Amino acid sequence: MSDIPEEKEESLFDAPPMAEQERMVEAILFATAEPVTTAELEARMPHGCDAAEALVYLRKRYEGRGVHVVRVGDAWAMRTASDLGFLMQKETVETRKLSRAAIETLAIIAYHQPVTRAEIEEIRGVSVSRGTVDQLLELEWIRFGRRKMTPGRPVTFVVTPTFLDHFGLENARDLPGLKELRSAGLLENRPPLGVTVSDQDDEDDQAVEGQSELFED
């Protein structure tokens, strides 16, 4: 037997020049609606490519342009520059808005994640009305997290990359401060004076009669 150590197997082909790798990453991100991770990029590119390095050059090249290469959680995407969003207003304006209950529930999950349903109700000061959490799950803005190590092992909720992408956030740390939300009236720790928990639920149910509780005209 030979004592000579085996050499690491090398690719028969050299990796493309970095400029070409940058073009490949650009093409993938441009053609893909959903954010793509570096691992997914490299899986599509020739052997030996460095998607992370290509992204560094690509992001720099798009600085100051109408489209930016942005990070969404652990993935990457091409998105319209935030200051030019008004140009897309016709295409992005929704005819329905999130109800106050849904906004409060979503905000609590975003700021307190992972958070249980009981904790959401404690922070809001009222019960989470029927369908609110289910509709946020259907929008794929929240998902189930790990079960909490407390009696009953309740499930928790966390926000998703879809939520971050929709609001142009890299991660949950980019959200406005809690004081800003409370000053805007989006977060309250108790129901209005003279309104009981059951009254609040009845009010929510009446407001959404004939349509999803998540939306209002």
Side-chain angles (χ1 to χ4, degrees):
M1 294 181 61
S2 173
D3 294 331
I4 300 176
E6 294 183 3
E7 295 183 1
K8 184 178 180 180
E9 184 179 353
E10 297 181 357
S11 173
L12 296 176
F13 305 97
D14 293 331
M18 184 51 63
E20 185 65 16
Q21 293 184 43
E22 182 185 344
R23 291 182 64 240
M24 292 177 183
V25 171
E26 180 182 28
I28 294 171
L29 295 183
F30 179 80
T32 308
E34 300 297 326
V36 185
T37 65
T38 53
E40 291 170 336
L41 287 169
E42 291 186 351
R44 302 186 190 184
M45 299 166 70
H47 179 75
C49 287
D50 188 338
E53 184 176 356
L55 278 164
V56 172
Y57 289 103
L58 188 63
R59 291 187 77 184
K60 186 173 182 179
R61 184 153 65 88
Y62 272 91
E63 287 180 357
R65 301 188 63 84
V67 175
H68 292 168
V69 177
V70 299
R71 184 166 186 168
V72 182
D74 295 327
W76 298 87
M78 297 185 74
R79 296 291 183 260
T80 302
S82 58
D83 62 319
L84 298 179
F86 69 95
L87 297 173
M88 312 301 160
Q89 186 174 5
K90 183 177 180 180
E91 288 77 15
T92 59
V93 168
E94 297 284 347
T95 57
R96 298 180 296 178
K97 298 180 180 179
L98 285 174
S99 68
R100 184 183 184 87
I103 292 174
E104 290 180 350
T105 300
L106 182 61
I108 290 169
I109 293 172
Y111 283 98
H112 296 270
Q113 63 178 338
V115 60
T116 66
R117 185 188 187 97
E119 290 169 337
I120 294 171
E121 294 176 343
E122 181 180 356
I123 294 171
R124 283 194 66 209
V126 296
S127 298
V128 176
S129 301
R130 184 181 65 254
T132 298
V133 172
D134 289 340
Q135 292 291 345
L136 290 175
L137 286 168
E138 289 178 9
L139 282 174
E140 297 184 352
W141 282 1
I142 66 172
R143 65 174 177 81
F144 292 111
R146 295 181 178 179
R147 288 185 176 274
K148 198 160 187 178
M149 300 300 291
T150 56
R153 299 291 305 280
V155 297
T156 61
F157 299 97
V158 297
V159 294
T160 66
T162 301
F163 165 83
L164 298 175
D165 189 25
H166 182 87
F167 291 99
L169 303 171
E170 181 174 328
N171 54 58
R173 291 190 297 273
D174 295 330
L175 288 162
L178 287 174
K179 290 183 179 178
E180 297 175 40
L181 288 182
R182 288 198 174 97
S183 65
L186 292 177
L187 286 182
E188 297 180 3
N189 291 327
R190 56 181 179 276
L193 292 175
V195 178
T196 64
V197 172
S198 59
D199 290 336
Q200 183 70 29
D201 287 339
D202 291 341
E203 181 181 333
D204 285 344
D205 290 340
Q206 292 171 4
V208 297
E209 184 175 356
Q211 64 177 13
S212 167
E213 184 227 340
L214 183 60
F215 297 104
E216 60 187 13
D217 292 331

